[in-house]
């Protein structure tokens, strides 16, 4: 049986380890966090993701997934650890470096090391390979190495790990081919072989494209607000053009990927990456725009209470990392607003999360921050009986405005001016 050791049991590593384990590999799932490992041994993944619990259960009961706090010898190593940015927007490769260092003693002739973490261009060649070379083995012939970025969408991870095409960037042709032989065991999408730096750049291009496009939508939204028209309407009509696909505006860009990855390019190419840097700043500024909108709108209300609906970074996920709600709540609290927050999926957050009725009770303004399906079905007449003032700001264009108006609510839509 083939053996694998997956380093990092997060949003990517845990699904990948489980899928390998259910596709004929004996997998060591290695994480430095002993809590994650011990909970997993008891069958409890620390992440909520559709289909993950049953997949992990299948992997564990088959005996092929072995959670561990130590790496072990294996034919295939998969590194899937975080690559955050520091507060001054420089890439922090410390997790990749320590993961690679932890593998040096267990590398053996003939093994393959796959890096899946999002990394600046050149990381595989200039950072990973020199560390692996400390094993004394020849990297490229005795140890194959490839960069194969994960491209799965949180909320659809299990599906997309199997279905998406993969880009496989080897440090040489033999490495790319060895990696292909691993991914072909569970990926139904096409496998595209290339070199490692190209694969690194492909991954950054994908997320940067999305960030720049969302920034464009947000910038158009600010213009439409001044023009007294509706950006959602403008974008949906512009997107009827066969070669136009503008993204959606919103309260800002969250998560651990899109607000982070474009900085890798800005950091590396500060003089060239003008559009990318500006887009990051436009998107980062959106929670502040939401704050300004709320504070101007209800400036005549004394001691106002704001109910934030949704603290995860996007709909139907439990992940609140880099969430625009976090920034908004901070701004509101700094300016003396009383804030309550609700989320149907998030368990732990920087402020206490309360049930829906408590959040709405005596509120002066509701702010829809996350497009959770549950919020689409909110009953405005029930909400009307709980709040102090009937104001709702929709940053996601998800409410049925006529219904809310009927229940007596004034509705503001982010990206729509009030003058028409
Ligand atoms: N957002 C908008 N407008 C949009 C789309 C998204 O404001 O039109 C916001 C969301 O609300 C959210 C943020 O952007 O706050 C990011 O959400 P997302 O769904 O665009 O992306 P992620 O971060 O969940 O996942 C992305 C995906 N990348 C691409 O679609 C190019 C995913 O495929 C990657 O694997 C993932 O990053 C990653 O791990 O890099």
């Amino acid at each position: 049986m083939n053996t694998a050791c997956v380093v990092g049991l997060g949003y990517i590593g845990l699904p990948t380890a489980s899928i390998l384990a259910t596709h004929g590999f004996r997998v060591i799932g290695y994480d430095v966090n002993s809590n994650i490992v011990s909970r997993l041994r008891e069958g409890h993944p620390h992440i909520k993701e559709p289909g993950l619990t049953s997949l992990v259960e299948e992997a564990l009961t088959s005996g092929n997934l072995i959670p561990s706090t130590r790496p072990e010898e294996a034919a295939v190593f998969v590194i899937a650890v975080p690559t955050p940015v520091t507060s001054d927007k420089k890439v922090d490769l410390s997790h990749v470096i320590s993961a690679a260092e932890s593998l040096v003693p267990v590398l053996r002739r003939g093994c393959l090391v796959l890096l899946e973490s999002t990394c600046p261009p050149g990381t595989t060649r200039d950072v990973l390979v020199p560390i692996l070379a400390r094993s004394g083995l020849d990297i490229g012939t005795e140890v194959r190495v490839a960069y194969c970025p994960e491209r799965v969408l949180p909320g659809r991870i299990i599906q997309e790990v199997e279905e998406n095409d993969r880009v496989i960037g080897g440090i040489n042709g033999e490495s790319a081919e060895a990696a292909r032989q691993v991914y072909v065991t569970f990926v139904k999408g096409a496998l595209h072989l290339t070199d490692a730096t190209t694969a690194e750049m492909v991954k950054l291009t994908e997320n940067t494209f999305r960030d720049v496009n969302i920034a464009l939508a947000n910038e158009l939204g600010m213009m439409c607000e001044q023009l007294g028209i509706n950006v959602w309407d403008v974008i949906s009509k512009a997107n009827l053009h066969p070669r136009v696909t503008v993204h959606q505006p919103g309260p800002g860009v969250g998560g651990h990927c899109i607000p982070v990855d474009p900085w890798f390019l800005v950091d590396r190419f500060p003089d060239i990456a003008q559009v990318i840097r500006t887009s990051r700043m436009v998107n980062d500024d959106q929670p502040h725009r939401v704050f300004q909108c709320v504070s101007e709108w209800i400036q005549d209300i004394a001691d106002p209470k704001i109910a934030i609906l949704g603290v995860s970074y996007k709909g139907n996920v439990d992940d609140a990392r880099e969430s625009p709600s976090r920034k908004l709540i901070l701004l509101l609290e700094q300016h003396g607003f009383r804030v309550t927050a609700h989320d149907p999926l998030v368990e732990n957050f920087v402020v206490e999360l309360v049930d829906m009725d408590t959040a709405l009770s005596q509120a002066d303004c509701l702010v829809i921050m996350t497009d959770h399906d549950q919020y689409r079905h909110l009953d405005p007449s029930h909400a009307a009986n709980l709040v102090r003032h009937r104001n709702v700001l929709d940053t996601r264009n998800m409410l049925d405005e006529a219904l809310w108006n009927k229940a007596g609510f004034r509705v503001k839509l982010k990206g729509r001016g009030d003058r028409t």
Side-chain angles (χ1 to χ4, degrees), residues 18 35 53 58 82 127 135 177 193 219 233-234 244 260 281 333 349 372 376 381 395 406 415:
S18 308
N35 282 336
T53 306
E58 189 187 340
V127 179
S135 63
E177 177 51 31
L193 272 50
E219 202 165 276
D233 188 30
V234 169
V244 174
V260 172
M281 285 158 58
E333 289 187 336
F349 193 56
H372 288 308
R376 263 177 240 287
S381 39
T395 68
K406 210 170 145 206

Side-chain angles (χ1 to χ4, degrees), residues 12 118 150-154 160 164 203 206-207 210 214 218 247-259 261 313-315 324 371 396:
I12 302 303
T118 306
E150 61 81 12
R151 307 161 95 192
V152 292
L153 195 71
E160 293 202 358
N164 288 3
K203 170 69 193 187
E206 292 165 358
N207 281 357
R210 205 149 166 83
I214 297 167
N218 282 324
H247 284 30
Q248 304 295 297
V253 170
H256 46 292
C257 308
I258 296 189
D261 303 350
Y313 79 94
K314 67 174 188 177
D371 43 351
R396 299 282 190 172

Side-chain angles (χ1 to χ4, degrees), residues 380-411:
S381 39
H382 178 68
N385 290 330
L386 294 170
V387 299
R388 185 164 71 155
H389 288 96
R390 296 175 186 178
N391 297 313
V392 58
L393 168 61
D394 181 2
T395 68
R396 299 282 190 172
N397 193 24
M398 61 183 302
L399 296 185
D400 179 339
E401 189 164 349
L403 211 63
W404 284 76
N405 287 151
K406 210 170 145 206
F409 276 88
R410 296 194 300 163
V411 179

Side-chain angles (χ1 to χ4, degrees), residues 330-349:
L330 200 69
L331 280 166
L332 287 166
E333 289 187 336
Q334 275 167 358
H335 288 79
F337 289 80
R338 290 179 298 132
V339 177
T340 49
H342 169 269
D343 194 288
L345 299 177
V346 175
E347 274 170 18
N348 296 310
F349 193 56

